Amino acid sequence: MSGVHVQIKNLSRSHRKGARAIDVLNDVDLELEPGERVAIVGPSGSGKSTFLHLVGMLDRPTKGQILLDGVDVGRLGDQKRAHLRNRRIGFVFQAHHLLPEQTAVGNVMVPVRFAGSSVKVARARATALLEGTGLGHRLDHKPGELSGGEQQRVALARALVMGPGLVLADEPTGNLDPDTAKGVFDLMLQLNQQLGSTVLVVTHSLDLAARFPRQLFLDSGQFVEI
């Protein structure tokens, strides 16, 4: 499955604080070619996470357009947005958001089951991906029985199990020590390269950002190419 072509046009997002509107993003224009890998850096509170949430259809802009493979997602109803998210977008967050009562393989099966596949198909796909992340021996362990790095690898497998064309990662290694973070980051880049996904990663680490072919700095509601 090919990477998603992302087009952002005049994108703005503001929040209300009492009678005052606080601008987070101001008329952002951006285009990502299919398969492009981009890192976003910037100060805390600059709107990096807000931007990812808008692109991933977890929030709606105040104004502007987001087109994924030419589809204006702002015109889609909630059901179609949810369907597109499940089929074409993979999310990796700083907090892994794993279901504590489910095993590693059970957590990775969730998107596949949501898409309507059988338990047998879902388990086979989840198992294959977890084995590819080095967790074949931890399939039936629950999150509380896994280390932080292992939990984030499960979260990464869950994000990629549907073969998404667009991967959005928000500080995916922010809670990990440097060595574990590098290992998880290496794995994410390797798996995404195999998929051919378009990748947008928010990170505070300039060292990690430097490994991306394209880097954007977000400040005062606008992107600047580094």
Side-chain angles (χ1 to χ4, degrees), residues 33-155:
E33 297 297 333
E36 192 169 6
R37 295 187 292 169
V38 181
I40 299 174
V41 296
S44 295
S46 60
K48 303 184 299 295
S49 295
T50 297
F51 180 73
L52 281 195
H53 289 174
L54 292 172
V55 176
M57 297 179 287
L58 298 176
D59 191 11
R60 291 183 182 266
T62 305
K63 70 170 186 176
Q65 288 180 298
I66 300 169
L67 289 89
L68 303 182
D69 284 337
V71 176
D72 184 348
V73 299
R75 296 180 178 274
L76 301 179
D78 290 343
Q79 190 171 354
K80 287 187 177 180
R81 285 163 69 91
H83 178 80
L84 184 57
R85 264 197 307 269
N86 177 252
R87 298 293 176 131
R88 294 293 278 155
I89 302 177
F91 295 93
V92 188
F93 298 102
Q94 182 171 341
H96 46 72
H97 298 302
L98 298 178
L99 300 173
E101 72 281 2
Q102 290 284 346
T103 61
V105 72
N107 269 281
V108 180
M109 287 170 61
V110 169
V112 191
R113 292 287 289 141
F114 183 79
S117 294
S118 68
V119 172
K120 182 179 179 181
V121 168
R123 186 173 181 89
R125 288 178 65 172
T127 298
L129 195 47
L130 283 169
E131 287 174 346
T133 68
L135 291 177
H137 63 302
R138 307 287 264 167
L139 297 179
D140 296 318
H141 290 251
K142 293 183 178 180
E145 301 169 316
L146 303 174
S147 69
E150 288 171 335
Q151 289 179 47
Q152 196 62 310
R153 279 190 275 165
V154 173

